[in-house]
Amino acid sequence: MKRLWHNGKLYTMQREGDRVEALLVEDGKIIAVGAYAELKGQADEEMDLDGAVLYPGFIDSHMHMIGHGDKLLSLDLSKAASQDQMMDMLLGARAGLAANEWFIGEGWNENNFPDKKIFTRQELDRVTESPMILKRTCRHAMLVNSKALELAGITRETPDPVDGVIMRDTNGEPTGYLKEGAMELVASLVPEPTEQSLTRALRKSVDDLLTLGLTGAVTEDLGYYGDYRNPLQAFKNVIGQEKKFRAHLLRRSTVFEQMMADDAMYDEPWIEPGAMKFFIDGALGGKTALLSKPYNDTPETSGMTVVTDEEIDALVALARKHDEAIAVHVIGDAAVEKALDAIEKYPVVEGKYDRLIHVNVLRADLVERMEKLPVILDLQPVFVSSDFPWVMDRLGEDRLDWAYAWKKLLDRGFICGGGSDAPIEEVDPLLGIYAATARRKPGETHEGYLPDEKLSRFEAVGLFTTGSAGTIGKADVRGKLAVGFDADFTVLDRDLFEVDVEEIVDANVVLTVVAGEVMYRA
């Protein structure tokens, strides 16, 4: 059946300001674009947009879909604006918990508190006698109570793991604050989720993503929930069966080799395999991102790496053995340098691109090296809203020139996708588009953090359309309105290119369309 979409603003994203009057869609593809009068006679039915604004379907270039669903289903601490508010939320959620049942919370961020308070295990013991895990917003640190430490056997005599830190008080006693690899000492005790629970979380996630206008996402979920088959099956249970959505699955290094040996099956075009993912460093919030010089506000540390140089080489070599690209988490400039060293030593197979995720802190010499390599960049514009102004204290003036430098990277010609890193940040793509253009939090009135790095509206929307499609090798079939492209559309009630910048976040999703089918209607 041929359906004609018309009577709205239809932005092609091929060139700034470029619009078409109508689109003809059949079997999930755009088969014609042009004037309504010319295409009307070919249509079996019409979709009247009633003045709404249609864009190519928004794609999130980096998130954790099951993790996002988990956050929606669990205690969300991300909105706590003070220690008292966080404690009230914890106390209010404790009812009915069995003594052996884990109390799990998500998203706390001490940088949102006036006093930057980080709770101790003794304070958390007030909440429950059950074992507790509270994941920091970056997921590179967590808080646990005394019961959790006891179950994990963590005492003052327990040494720090090579890839993490057990924070201690002045007497050497664990405080309950665990960073990086130290988290696994406790997290490994939590019972593995079942296929059923993962399916429930993913269903919740996809439903939410569609309401926000997202038609697809690059997601990393394999390798966090025990046997990779459980999360992979959850994707097959939900996507393509219940809902049309496009999931590009990064494969974590911990399960990658097994997946290759098993010849794991997907369900394209809805579920497709991506690069092999691993981490080199942590996060700026917890001061575990690896910098080439010490933190300005904590000169005794430069951050940390969660893998050795030898392990990085081995991981990249493993991906190359299977002719695969890597997707590597690098936030600090020293971490980027380590990634580039390995990529230069083990070039990716022709036609594929290595994915550098976050690249929050760079240097001019690193960018020059990146320009010579087949790399694509995952950028999270919302990091500007959440990390500033405190990140300026972390880095100091000397490192701000190449910090969160989205404009300079686009101007250099890099393929850049826009993502949220949900559940670390809010998943709404409108928040990302706003942050990329305004460089501040919604409601603030200053000129923006590092305002020279502001993107134009076209560039910002492009991160979530043409850019994200380009990062997964789909630039010739997604991210634009053109003949032969997938009929994935995000329809809003206002024009992001014309409204006042503060109104971007107030736009409402009217329709979310995947392969020509309406998956969400307001």
Side-chain angles (χ1 to χ4, degrees):
M1 179 177 290
K2 298 177 182 178
R3 177 180 288 178
L4 187 64
W5 297 74
H6 69 100
N7 191 27
K9 291 182 176 180
L10 286 67
Y11 283 101
T12 70
M13 291 305 296
Q14 298 202 64
R15 291 168 298 277
E16 187 166 2
D18 190 46
R19 285 160 44 184
V20 293
E21 191 173 295
L23 297 169
L24 192 63
V25 172
E26 184 180 29
D27 296 330
K29 295 283 187 179
I30 299 172
I31 62 171
V33 299
Y36 170 71
E38 295 173 354
L39 299 178
K40 181 178 180 180
Q42 302 178 45
D44 299 308
E45 65 177 29
E46 297 186 12
M47 177 62 79
D48 188 336
L49 293 169
D50 195 25
V53 188
L54 184 149
Y55 308 85
F58 291 168
I59 305 166
D60 190 305
S61 73
H62 183 71
M63 68 172 300
H64 309 268
M65 288 176 62
I66 292 176
H68 177 59
D70 281 338
K71 183 177 179 179
L72 293 173
L73 292 169
S74 65
L75 176 61
D76 180 6
L77 300 169
S78 62
K79 298 296 191 294
S82 68
Q83 60 164 309
D84 290 340
Q85 189 175 6
M86 179 171 164
M87 181 55 72
D88 287 344
M89 294 170 73
L90 293 172
L91 292 170
R94 67 181 179 178
L97 203 63
N100 61 347
E101 188 176 353
W102 285 82
F103 184 117
I104 297 178
E106 301 261 0
W108 63 273
N109 184 356
E110 81 283 0
N111 290 307
N112 293 336
F113 304 166
D115 58 0
K116 312 298 186 197
K117 167 74 175 181
I118 296 177
F119 286 108
T120 66
R121 61 182 172 88
Q122 291 89 351
E123 290 167 314
L124 297 180
D125 292 344
R126 292 173 44 205
V127 177
T128 180
E129 295 180 358
S130 301
M132 173 188 285
I133 287 178
L134 303 179
K135 302 172 187 176
R136 193 182 183 279
T137 180
C138 62
R139 291 202 169 190
H140 289 269
M142 66 169 52
L143 290 172
V144 301
N145 63 357
S146 297
K147 184 63 175 180
L149 290 175
E150 176 189 334
L151 291 174
I154 297 175
T155 67
R156 63 181 298 151
E157 283 76 35
T158 305
D160 288 345
V162 295
D163 59 348
V165 178
I166 301 168
M167 301 299 289
R168 306 169 196 270
D169 62 22
T170 54
N171 296 318
E173 295 289 345
T175 64
Y177 188 22
L178 308 176
K179 295 185 177 184
E180 301 298 346
M183 298 186 295
E184 188 60 23
L185 300 175
V186 174
S188 62
L189 303 176
V190 180
E192 289 182 3
T194 63
E195 178 191 321
Q196 182 180 21
S197 65
L198 293 171
T199 298
R200 177 170 171 257
L202 186 62
R203 182 180 295 117
K204 183 74 170 178
S205 179
V206 172
D207 285 345
D208 187 57
L209 300 181
L210 289 169
T211 68
L212 296 170
L214 286 162
T215 61
V218 180
T219 182
E220 194 218 344
D221 302 274
L222 309 177
Y224 291 97
Y225 305 102
D227 191 326
Y228 78 84
R229 295 175 185 84
N230 285 335
L232 181 57
Q233 187 59 47
F235 276 92
K236 294 177 182 178
N237 292 344
V238 175
I239 296 175
Q241 296 296 318
E242 300 177 6
K243 299 280 187 179
K244 286 188 176 178
F245 189 84
R246 303 190 192 274
H248 185 91
L249 308 184
L250 300 183
R251 293 168 285 181
R252 196 175 183 192
S253 59
T254 54
V255 298
F256 175 79
E257 194 162 22
Q258 184 64 50
M259 295 185 75
M260 299 304 294
D262 292 347
D263 194 21
M265 302 298 290
Y266 305 88
D267 186 13
E268 300 185 61
W270 317 117
I271 306 166
E272 62 185 16
M276 186 191 82
K277 163 73 184 295
F278 66 95
F279 292 77
I280 288 182
D281 67 344
L284 287 166
K287 301 177 186 177
T288 56
L290 188 66
L291 303 178
S292 55
K293 296 188 298 183
Y295 280 80
N296 187 64
D297 59 350
T298 315
E300 62 269 23
T301 184
S302 297
M304 63 180 296
T305 176
V306 297
V307 284
T308 66
D309 291 351
E310 292 75 20
E311 287 170 332
I312 294 171
D313 281 357
L315 287 168
V316 179
L318 172 62
R320 303 307 193 232
K321 173 184 173 183
H322 297 282
D323 291 333
E324 280 295 348
I326 61 168
V328 57
H329 169 113
V330 283
I331 286 186
D333 60 327
V336 175
E337 186 169 4
K338 289 179 180 293
L340 298 182
D341 289 344
I343 291 170
E344 290 166 347
K345 187 181 298 185
Y346 302 98
V348 69
V349 65
E350 186 174 354
K352 293 196 175 184
Y353 290 78
D354 289 319
R355 177 181 293 264
L356 302 181
I357 302 171
H358 306 315
V359 292
N360 291 30
V361 185
L362 290 167
R363 304 190 310 262
D365 63 297
L366 297 177
V367 176
E368 291 175 5
R369 291 171 64 184
M370 289 160 54
E371 288 180 301
K372 300 173 184 177
L373 297 170
V375 296
I376 56 93
L377 308 180
D378 262 338
L379 309 180
Q380 289 69 45
V382 289
F383 282 3
V384 173
S385 302
S386 60
D387 292 2
F388 283 81
W390 59 260
V391 77
M392 301 169 82
D393 294 328
R394 293 277 196 280
L395 298 177
E397 291 291 331
D398 294 345
R399 282 179 286 205
L400 294 181
D401 188 46
W402 276 104
Y404 302 70
W406 317 148
K407 178 66 174 174
K408 284 199 284 287
L409 292 171
L410 280 176
D411 288 347
R412 294 287 186 106
F414 288 102
I415 298 172
C416 298
S420 62
D421 203 13
I424 311 306
E425 301 288 348
E426 295 294 325
V427 73
D428 188 348
L430 295 176
L431 292 174
I433 292 168
Y434 173 85
T437 55
R439 303 280 296 192
R440 60 179 182 254
K441 298 177 179 67
E444 293 182 339
T445 57
H446 56 80
E447 64 175 348
Y449 300 108
L450 308 181
D452 289 345
E453 294 299 328
K454 288 181 180 179
L455 302 188
S456 70
R457 307 287 183 92
F458 182 72
E459 290 169 330
V461 173
L463 287 180
F464 292 87
T465 52
T466 53
S468 286
T471 69
I472 56 174
K474 302 291 184 182
D476 57 342
V477 293
R478 284 181 210 153
K480 298 178 183 178
L481 304 183
V483 173
F485 277 59
D486 291 327
D488 298 349
F489 311 138
T490 301
V491 183
L492 304 180
D493 67 350
R494 65 197 71 189
D495 189 333
L496 299 181
F497 301 128
E498 293 185 357
V499 298
D500 182 83
V501 67
E502 293 301 314
E503 289 187 49
I504 290 175
V505 295
D506 296 325
N508 296 300
V509 177
V510 177
L511 298 169
T512 304
V513 181
V514 183
E517 292 190 27
V518 176
M519 290 291 103
Y520 168 76
R521 185 189 301 271

